[in-house]
Amino acid sequence: MGRKQLKQTIEDDSVKSIKLPKYKIAVKCKNQKQKDFINNLKNREKEICFGIGSAGTGKTYLSIAESLSLLKDTDNDYQKIVIFLTTCESTKELRIGFLKGVLDDKIEPYKQNSINTIEKILLNSGNANAKEITKELIDKDFIQFDLINFIKGKTYENCICILEEAEDLSREDMKLILTRKGGDTCKMICTGDTKQINREDLRKNNEKSGLKFASDILNGIPEVSTTVFTNEDIVRDKLLCEIIKRFEENM
Protein backbone atom coordinates (compact mmCIF):
# COMPACT_ATOMS: atom_id res chain seq x y z
CA MET A 1 0.00 0.00 0.00
CA GLY A 2 1.36 3.42 -1.01
CA ARG A 3 1.80 6.33 1.41
CA LYS A 4 -1.19 8.18 -0.09
CA GLN A 5 -3.45 5.13 0.21
CA LEU A 6 -2.29 4.50 3.78
CA LYS A 7 -2.99 8.12 4.74
CA GLN A 8 -6.48 7.90 3.24
CA THR A 9 -7.19 4.65 5.14
CA ILE A 10 -6.12 6.24 8.42
CA GLU A 11 -8.32 9.28 7.73
CA ASP A 12 -11.31 7.07 6.87
CA ASP A 13 -10.85 5.03 10.06
CA SER A 14 -10.57 8.23 12.06
CA VAL A 15 -13.87 9.53 10.66
CA LYS A 16 -15.62 6.23 11.40
CA SER A 17 -14.37 6.28 15.00
CA ILE A 18 -16.16 9.57 15.68
CA LYS A 19 -19.66 8.45 16.58
CA LEU A 20 -22.77 10.56 16.29
CA PRO A 21 -24.17 11.23 19.79
CA LYS A 22 -27.47 9.55 20.52
CA TYR A 23 -30.55 11.75 20.53
CA LYS A 24 -34.28 11.63 19.80
CA ILE A 25 -36.14 13.83 17.34
CA ALA A 26 -39.91 14.18 17.53
CA VAL A 27 -41.65 16.75 15.35
CA LYS A 28 -45.41 17.24 15.20
CA CYS A 29 -46.61 19.40 12.32
CA LYS A 30 -49.24 21.97 13.31
CA ASN A 31 -50.81 22.59 9.91
CA GLN A 32 -50.87 21.32 6.33
CA LYS A 33 -48.21 23.78 5.14
CA GLN A 34 -45.75 22.45 7.72
CA LYS A 35 -46.55 18.89 6.58
CA ASP A 36 -45.83 19.88 2.97
CA PHE A 37 -42.52 21.44 3.97
CA ILE A 38 -41.46 18.42 6.03
CA ASN A 39 -42.40 16.02 3.22
CA ASN A 40 -40.20 17.98 0.82
CA LEU A 41 -37.31 17.89 3.29
CA LYS A 42 -37.73 14.14 3.74
CA ASN A 43 -37.89 13.53 -0.01
CA ARG A 44 -34.44 12.46 -1.16
CA GLU A 45 -35.24 13.58 -4.72
CA LYS A 46 -35.77 17.17 -3.56
CA GLU A 47 -32.18 18.39 -3.42
CA ILE A 48 -33.01 22.10 -2.96
CA CYS A 49 -35.90 23.05 -0.69
CA PHE A 50 -37.14 26.62 -0.35
CA GLY A 51 -39.32 27.72 2.56
CA ILE A 52 -40.58 31.27 2.11
CA GLY A 53 -43.03 33.28 4.18
CA SER A 54 -44.12 34.95 7.37
CA ALA A 55 -42.24 34.95 10.64
CA GLY A 56 -43.48 32.45 13.19
CA THR A 57 -44.47 29.75 10.70
CA GLY A 58 -41.80 27.30 11.88
CA LYS A 59 -39.48 27.44 8.86
CA THR A 60 -36.23 27.46 10.86
CA TYR A 61 -37.43 25.03 13.52
CA LEU A 62 -38.62 22.46 10.98
CA SER A 63 -35.50 22.86 8.81
CA ILE A 64 -33.13 22.10 11.67
CA ALA A 65 -35.33 19.42 13.25
CA GLU A 66 -35.68 17.44 10.03
CA SER A 67 -31.97 17.88 9.28
CA LEU A 68 -31.13 16.37 12.68
CA SER A 69 -33.49 13.52 11.88
CA LEU A 70 -31.90 12.91 8.46
CA LEU A 71 -28.42 13.05 10.02
CA LYS A 72 -29.12 10.14 12.37
CA ASP A 73 -30.80 8.06 9.66
CA THR A 74 -28.19 5.47 8.60
CA ASP A 75 -29.89 5.03 5.21
CA ASN A 76 -28.72 8.52 4.20
CA ASP A 77 -25.30 9.66 3.01
CA TYR A 78 -25.44 12.82 5.09
CA GLN A 79 -22.46 13.07 7.43
CA LYS A 80 -22.96 16.56 8.79
CA ILE A 81 -25.13 19.67 8.86
CA VAL A 82 -23.68 22.95 7.62
CA ILE A 83 -25.44 26.13 8.71
CA PHE A 84 -24.63 29.15 6.58
CA LEU A 85 -24.34 32.42 8.50
CA THR A 86 -25.37 35.75 7.04
CA THR A 87 -23.77 38.76 8.73
CA CYS A 88 -26.46 41.28 7.85
CA GLU A 89 -27.51 43.08 11.03
CA SER A 90 -31.15 43.94 11.69
CA THR A 91 -30.81 47.68 11.08
CA LYS A 92 -28.01 50.01 10.01
CA GLU A 93 -28.89 52.54 12.70
CA LEU A 94 -28.59 50.01 15.55
CA ARG A 95 -25.25 48.49 14.59
CA ILE A 96 -22.75 48.15 17.44
CA GLY A 97 -19.65 48.36 15.27
CA PHE A 98 -16.69 45.99 15.05
CA LEU A 99 -16.61 43.04 17.43
CA LYS A 100 -13.44 42.19 19.35
CA GLY A 101 -11.70 38.83 19.26
CA VAL A 102 -10.77 36.19 16.72
CA LEU A 103 -13.15 35.05 13.97
CA ASP A 104 -14.99 32.57 16.23
CA ASP A 105 -15.67 35.35 18.73
CA LYS A 106 -16.97 37.69 16.04
CA ILE A 107 -19.41 35.19 14.55
CA GLU A 108 -20.72 33.91 17.90
CA PRO A 109 -23.74 36.28 17.90
CA TYR A 110 -24.73 35.02 14.45
CA LYS A 111 -24.48 31.37 15.58
CA GLN A 112 -26.42 31.74 18.80
CA ASN A 113 -29.92 31.73 17.30
CA SER A 114 -29.27 28.41 15.55
CA ILE A 115 -27.71 26.91 18.69
CA ASN A 116 -30.72 27.97 20.75
CA THR A 117 -33.06 26.40 18.19
CA ILE A 118 -31.12 23.12 18.22
CA GLU A 119 -31.29 22.97 22.00
CA LYS A 120 -35.01 23.72 21.94
CA ILE A 121 -35.69 20.98 19.36
CA LEU A 122 -33.73 18.40 21.36
CA LEU A 123 -35.44 19.41 24.61
CA ASN A 124 -38.91 19.31 23.02
CA SER A 125 -38.06 15.85 21.63
CA GLY A 126 -37.46 14.45 25.11
CA ASN A 127 -33.69 14.80 25.43
CA ALA A 128 -32.99 15.89 29.01
CA ASN A 129 -29.36 16.78 28.23
CA ALA A 130 -30.11 18.96 25.20
CA LYS A 131 -27.30 21.46 25.84
CA GLU A 132 -24.69 18.72 26.18
CA ILE A 133 -25.85 16.96 22.99
CA THR A 134 -25.77 20.24 21.07
CA LYS A 135 -22.24 20.99 22.28
CA GLU A 136 -21.10 17.48 21.33
CA LEU A 137 -22.62 17.74 17.85
CA ILE A 138 -20.73 21.00 17.30
CA ASP A 139 -17.47 19.90 18.94
CA LYS A 140 -17.38 16.73 16.81
CA ASP A 141 -18.17 18.73 13.63
CA PHE A 142 -21.49 17.02 12.97
CA ILE A 143 -22.86 20.55 12.98
CA GLN A 144 -20.68 23.21 11.37
CA PHE A 145 -21.10 26.92 10.70
CA ASP A 146 -19.80 28.61 7.56
CA LEU A 147 -19.77 32.31 6.76
CA ILE A 148 -21.16 33.01 3.30
CA ASN A 149 -18.33 35.53 2.91
CA PHE A 150 -15.80 32.68 2.66
CA ILE A 151 -17.54 29.88 0.73
CA LYS A 152 -16.34 30.81 -2.76
CA GLY A 153 -14.50 27.83 -4.26
CA LYS A 154 -15.95 25.33 -1.77
CA THR A 155 -17.97 22.25 -2.67
CA TYR A 156 -20.40 20.67 -0.21
CA GLU A 157 -20.93 16.92 -0.38
CA ASN A 158 -22.52 14.34 1.93
CA CYS A 159 -24.19 17.02 4.00
CA ILE A 160 -27.32 19.05 4.61
CA CYS A 161 -26.82 22.78 4.13
CA ILE A 162 -29.18 25.18 5.91
CA LEU A 163 -29.46 28.81 4.88
CA GLU A 164 -31.61 30.94 7.20
CA GLU A 165 -32.71 34.58 6.82
CA ALA A 166 -31.97 34.31 3.09
CA GLU A 167 -34.18 37.30 2.27
CA ASP A 168 -31.15 39.56 2.82
CA LEU A 169 -29.12 37.94 0.04
CA SER A 170 -28.78 39.24 -3.50
CA ARG A 171 -29.19 37.25 -6.70
CA GLU A 172 -25.41 36.90 -6.95
CA ASP A 173 -25.24 35.64 -3.35
CA MET A 174 -27.84 32.98 -4.00
CA LYS A 175 -26.12 31.88 -7.19
CA LEU A 176 -22.84 31.52 -5.29
CA ILE A 177 -24.44 29.45 -2.54
CA LEU A 178 -26.52 27.15 -4.74
CA THR A 179 -23.57 26.44 -7.05
CA ARG A 180 -21.53 25.17 -4.09
CA LYS A 181 -23.76 22.07 -4.14
CA GLY A 182 -21.75 18.93 -4.84
CA GLY A 183 -24.12 16.40 -6.35
CA ASP A 184 -27.14 14.54 -5.02
CA THR A 185 -25.47 13.78 -1.67
CA CYS A 186 -26.00 17.43 -0.68
CA LYS A 187 -29.42 18.76 0.28
CA MET A 188 -29.81 22.54 0.51
CA ILE A 189 -32.55 24.16 2.59
CA CYS A 190 -33.09 27.89 2.08
CA THR A 191 -35.60 29.83 4.18
CA GLY A 192 -36.59 33.43 4.79
CA ASP A 193 -39.29 36.07 4.86
CA THR A 194 -39.08 38.32 1.81
CA LYS A 195 -41.19 40.97 3.59
CA GLN A 196 -38.44 41.56 6.16
CA ILE A 197 -35.47 42.62 4.06
CA ASN A 198 -32.90 44.54 6.14
CA ARG A 199 -30.11 44.80 3.61
CA GLU A 200 -29.78 48.47 2.72
CA ASP A 201 -28.72 48.14 -0.95
CA LEU A 202 -31.63 45.79 -1.76
CA ARG A 203 -34.14 48.13 -0.15
CA LYS A 204 -32.65 51.25 -1.69
CA ASN A 205 -32.76 49.82 -5.21
CA ASN A 206 -36.10 48.10 -4.62
CA GLU A 207 -34.39 44.91 -5.79
CA LYS A 208 -36.10 41.53 -5.49
CA SER A 209 -34.62 39.36 -2.76
CA GLY A 210 -32.21 36.74 -4.08
CA LEU A 211 -34.25 34.13 -2.21
CA LYS A 212 -37.43 34.98 -4.10
CA PHE A 213 -35.53 35.32 -7.39
CA ALA A 214 -33.91 31.88 -7.00
CA SER A 215 -37.15 30.12 -6.04
CA ASP A 216 -38.97 31.73 -8.97
CA ILE A 217 -36.47 30.84 -11.69
CA LEU A 218 -35.86 27.31 -10.36
CA ASN A 219 -39.56 26.57 -10.04
CA GLY A 220 -40.56 23.49 -12.02
CA ILE A 221 -37.24 21.67 -11.74
CA PRO A 222 -38.06 18.19 -10.32
CA GLU A 223 -35.21 18.36 -7.79
CA VAL A 224 -36.41 21.70 -6.39
CA SER A 225 -39.36 22.39 -4.09
CA THR A 226 -40.85 25.62 -2.77
CA THR A 227 -43.21 25.88 0.20
CA VAL A 228 -44.83 29.29 0.64
CA PHE A 229 -46.09 30.15 4.13
CA THR A 230 -48.69 32.88 4.71
CA ASN A 231 -49.82 34.76 7.82
CA GLU A 232 -52.51 32.11 8.29
CA ASP A 233 -49.74 29.52 8.80
CA ILE A 234 -48.23 31.31 11.83
CA VAL A 235 -47.94 28.92 14.79
CA ARG A 236 -45.46 30.60 17.16
CA ASP A 237 -47.85 33.23 18.49
CA LYS A 238 -51.24 33.99 16.98
CA LEU A 239 -50.87 37.64 17.98
CA LEU A 240 -48.17 37.83 15.30
CA CYS A 241 -50.88 37.53 12.65
CA GLU A 242 -52.48 40.78 13.77
CA ILE A 243 -49.13 42.52 14.34
CA ILE A 244 -47.88 41.68 10.83
CA LYS A 245 -51.24 42.52 9.25
CA ARG A 246 -51.40 45.98 10.82
CA PHE A 247 -47.78 46.80 10.00
CA GLU A 248 -48.31 45.78 6.37
CA GLU A 249 -51.45 47.92 6.14
CA ASN A 250 -49.82 51.01 7.61
CA MET A 251 -46.26 51.06 6.26
Side-chain angles (χ1 to χ4, degrees):
M1 180 183 294
R3 182 178 299 179
K4 185 176 181 181
Q5 290 175 305
L6 178 60
K7 181 175 182 292
Q8 185 63 51
T9 301
I10 293 173
E11 288 176 349
D12 290 344
D13 289 342
S14 176
V15 171
K16 291 177 183 178
S17 67
I18 302 175
K19 293 184 178 180
L20 182 73
K22 293 183 178 180
Y23 58 85
K24 298 176 290 184
I25 294 294
V27 178
K28 185 177 180 180
C29 294
K30 297 183 179 181
N31 53 44
Q32 186 58 47
K33 202 61 69 68
Q34 287 196 347
K35 290 179 182 178
D36 294 342
F37 189 47
I38 282 289
N39 286 336
N40 285 326
L41 298 182
K42 289 178 180 292
N43 189 341
R44 185 59 183 269
E45 295 181 1
K46 301 299 181 182
E47 299 175 27
I48 299 175
C49 300
F50 292 105
I52 302 175
S54 303
T57 52
K59 302 182 299 296
T60 296
Y61 189 97
L62 295 175
S63 297
I64 295 179
E66 186 55 35
S67 295
L68 287 167
S69 180
L70 291 171
L71 182 65
K72 69 195 297 287
D73 186 348
T74 55
D75 290 334
N76 291 313
D77 297 322
Y78 307 126
Q79 298 172 2
K80 61 184 177 182
I81 297 170
V82 179
I83 299 177
F84 292 134
L85 300 177
T86 57
T87 55
C88 178
E89 295 183 28
S90 299
T91 64
K92 177 184 178 183
E93 292 74 17
L94 299 179
R95 288 176 185 166
I96 60 175
F98 292 105
L99 301 176
K100 293 183 178 180
V102 297
L103 183 61
D104 284 344
D105 298 323
K106 294 177 186 294
I107 67 174
E108 187 62 32
Y110 301 101
K111 294 164 52 177
Q112 200 55 54
N113 182 56
S114 297
I115 292 173
N116 292 342
T117 302
I118 295 166
E119 292 176 355
K120 182 179 180 180
I121 291 167
L122 291 171
L123 189 62
N124 290 347
S125 298
N127 301 277
N129 54 337
K131 284 185 177 293
E132 291 78 6
I133 296 172
T134 302
K135 185 177 185 303
E136 188 176 356
L137 286 166
I138 295 171
D139 289 346
K140 290 184 175 180
D141 285 334
F142 288 110
I143 295 178
Q144 299 176 9
F145 298 90
D146 264 5
L147 282 171
I148 294 173
N149 315 51
F150 306 129
I151 68 171
K152 190 172 183 178
K154 290 186 177 182
T155 300
Y156 293 90
E157 299 175 303
N158 302 108
C159 63
I160 306 161
C161 296
I162 301 176
L163 173 63
E164 304 170 30
E165 309 299 340
E167 69 273 4
D168 284 316
L169 299 178
S170 68
R171 301 178 183 187
E172 291 76 14
D173 295 329
M174 286 301 299
K175 180 181 178 183
L176 170 65
I177 293 164
L178 295 175
T179 54
R180 300 306 93 208
K181 189 177 179 303
D184 60 5
T185 62
C186 174
K187 180 185 284 285
M188 286 197 165
I189 306 170
C190 308
T191 64
D193 180 1
T194 54
K195 294 181 181 179
Q196 295 196 53
I197 298 175
N198 297 115
R199 185 162 156 176
E200 187 179 3
D201 59 338
L202 295 183
R203 297 174 65 177
K204 183 178 180 180
N205 298 324
N206 198 27
E207 183 179 337
K208 181 188 290 188
S209 164
L211 172 64
K212 183 67 165 60
F213 176 79
S215 66
D216 285 348
I217 67 168
L218 299 180
N219 183 43
I221 298 177
E223 293 83 5
V224 178
S225 70
T226 297
T227 307
V228 178
F229 296 86
T230 67
N231 292 352
E232 287 69 32
D233 300 312
I234 293 174
V235 295
R236 186 200 306 160
D237 185 342
K238 287 303 178 183
L239 179 57
L240 286 179
C241 295
E242 193 62 28
I243 293 172
I244 293 172
K245 176 185 175 183
R246 296 201 179 196
F247 265 86
E248 289 176 350
E249 290 174 347
N250 294 281
M251 287 184 72

